[in-house]
Amino acid sequence: IDLINNLLQVKMRKRYSVDKTLSHPWLQDYQMWLDLRNLEGRISERYITHESDDLRWHHHAQLTGGDYPSNVINPSLNDVDQAMERYHEKEEELETLSERVSEL
């Protein structure tokens, strides 16, 4: 309801942008992401989810012990292990950056 109300705002400055909409907690749910990926798979076009989220959800599935369906794996990620290493490196960089910002 919150998301829909914010999308239907008459005043443009109050209305959610695409970025704000996609970062809404309702769309940041693993099951929701899986459902959206399955929908995109059925229509053979990716237009709701983004490739940059694939590793994040793969990592989430590993941490929670959940299943990561093979049909939603991004074909451009040839080696998932190598991609996960890059993901962890970026995660560490962000932690370091946030520590530096908190010191300021």
Side-chain angles (χ1 to χ4, degrees), residues 78-94:
N78 296 330
D79 187 3
V80 174
D81 291 332
Q82 193 177 43
M84 288 304 291
E85 279 182 38
R86 287 194 306 265
Y87 176 83
H88 289 299
E89 288 171 3
K90 288 185 185 281
E91 201 172 51
E92 289 172 8
E93 286 177 29
L94 287 175

Side-chain angles (χ1 to χ4, degrees), residues 30-47:
Y30 181 62
Q31 186 59 51
M32 176 63 68
W33 180 80
L34 286 175
D35 294 342
L36 291 172
R37 287 296 288 129
N38 286 330
L39 172 68
E40 290 172 336
R42 283 196 304 263
I43 61 173
S44 302
E45 186 177 347
R46 188 169 198 167
Y47 67 97

Side-chain angles (χ1 to χ4, degrees), residues 30 33 53-66 68 80 83-85 87-88 91:
Y30 181 62
W33 180 80
D53 288 332
D54 292 353
L55 277 179
R56 179 171 63 106
W57 289 117
H58 188 268
H59 181 65
H60 172 79
Q62 286 180 331
L63 289 176
T64 59
Y68 190 82
V80 174
M84 288 304 291
E85 279 182 38
Y87 176 83
H88 289 299
E91 201 172 51

